[in-house]
Amino acid sequence: MNDKSRHLPAAERRAVTVEAVLELAAERNPGEITTAAIAERMHVTQGALFRHFTNKDAIWAAVMEWVADRLLGRVDRAAAEATGPVAALEAMFLAHVDFVARHAGVPRILFGELQRAEETPAKRMVQTIIARYRERLVVLLEQGKATGECAPDLDCAAAATLFIGTIQGLVMSSMLAGDVERVRRDAPGAFAILRRGLGVRP
């Protein structure tokens, strides 16, 4: 962030705010990020920050909207470029992992929101993102069954849950190791195991 952030148009100011939150989330517990810390990272006052957001929940909602647009957009593009449903699943898996590696603050925020006991706009958006992601996976898995690439008795809902859970496990392992790049290194092997579980033909 620099002094230019003081004089940005509203849309750009919101984007810079999201960037600041993601940077902070990669460095510390997202639950401890205050509006004062966000404003400090942006080199603006809290008053300037609240000219664009009504409260902290609104900032978090903007972050979730950014994540939804970028993550789902990225996996959709990856799937569209693949040939066949299983190849599309693998492309989505690796694209998702790459997104996480590039934006280490994202999984920390998502995990943090899902662990909150109370319902918040941001938590509902995280749940919506996961639901939309699962829908995409189930469609591809059903296509895999139809083309014979996946086992005919495959439980697509369970497989979609396993797909997402595998990525979450990789992310958690990389976070515990303090090595963001580990998620990229471990991803191909993890998908190979998942692939066999889908009953994919050699």
Side-chain angles (χ1 to χ4, degrees), residues 15-171:
V16 170
T17 304
V18 169
E19 179 185 342
V21 172
L22 292 176
E23 288 177 359
L24 289 167
E27 301 167 3
R28 66 184 74 170
N29 180 350
E32 298 173 356
I33 297 174
T34 63
T35 53
I38 297 168
E40 181 180 358
R41 179 60 62 99
M42 296 172 64
H43 303 293
V44 300
T45 66
Q46 289 190 69
L49 186 61
F50 286 125
R51 281 199 290 273
H52 300 277
F53 299 93
T54 54
N55 52 37
K56 186 177 178 181
D57 281 346
I59 295 174
W60 248 240
V63 172
M64 291 301 102
E65 183 178 351
W66 184 93
V67 171
D69 289 343
R70 300 303 191 283
L71 175 58
L72 295 179
R74 178 168 293 195
V75 297
D76 283 346
R77 288 191 297 274
E81 294 171 1
T83 303
V86 173
L89 288 166
E90 183 173 9
M92 288 176 66
F93 191 93
L94 297 178
H96 188 157
V97 164
D98 181 70
F99 179 83
V100 168
R102 291 174 183 273
H103 305 287
V106 169
R108 295 170 66 88
I109 291 174
L110 296 181
F111 289 147
E113 287 301 319
L114 289 174
Q115 289 173 16
R116 293 178 66 169
E118 71 274 21
E119 286 294 325
T120 66
K123 182 177 180 179
R124 287 193 292 271
M125 288 189 72
V126 173
Q127 293 168 332
T128 299
I129 293 169
I130 294 173
R132 290 167 61 188
Y133 198 119
R134 282 174 55 85
E135 289 171 0
R136 287 161 165 75
L137 295 174
V138 169
V139 168
L140 287 172
L141 290 162
E142 290 289 358
Q143 290 175 1
K145 290 171 65 173
T147 60
E149 289 189 63
C150 296
D153 59 348
L154 178 68
D155 183 333
C156 294
T161 298
L162 182 61
F163 183 105
I164 295 171
T166 301
I167 294 176
Q168 290 173 335
L170 291 174
V171 171

Side-chain angles (χ1 to χ4, degrees), residues 178-197:
D179 180 5
V180 175
E181 287 301 314
R182 178 174 175 172
V183 71
R184 281 198 179 106
R185 295 195 301 271
D186 292 349
F191 187 81
I193 295 171
L194 182 61
R195 183 186 181 94
R196 288 196 292 273

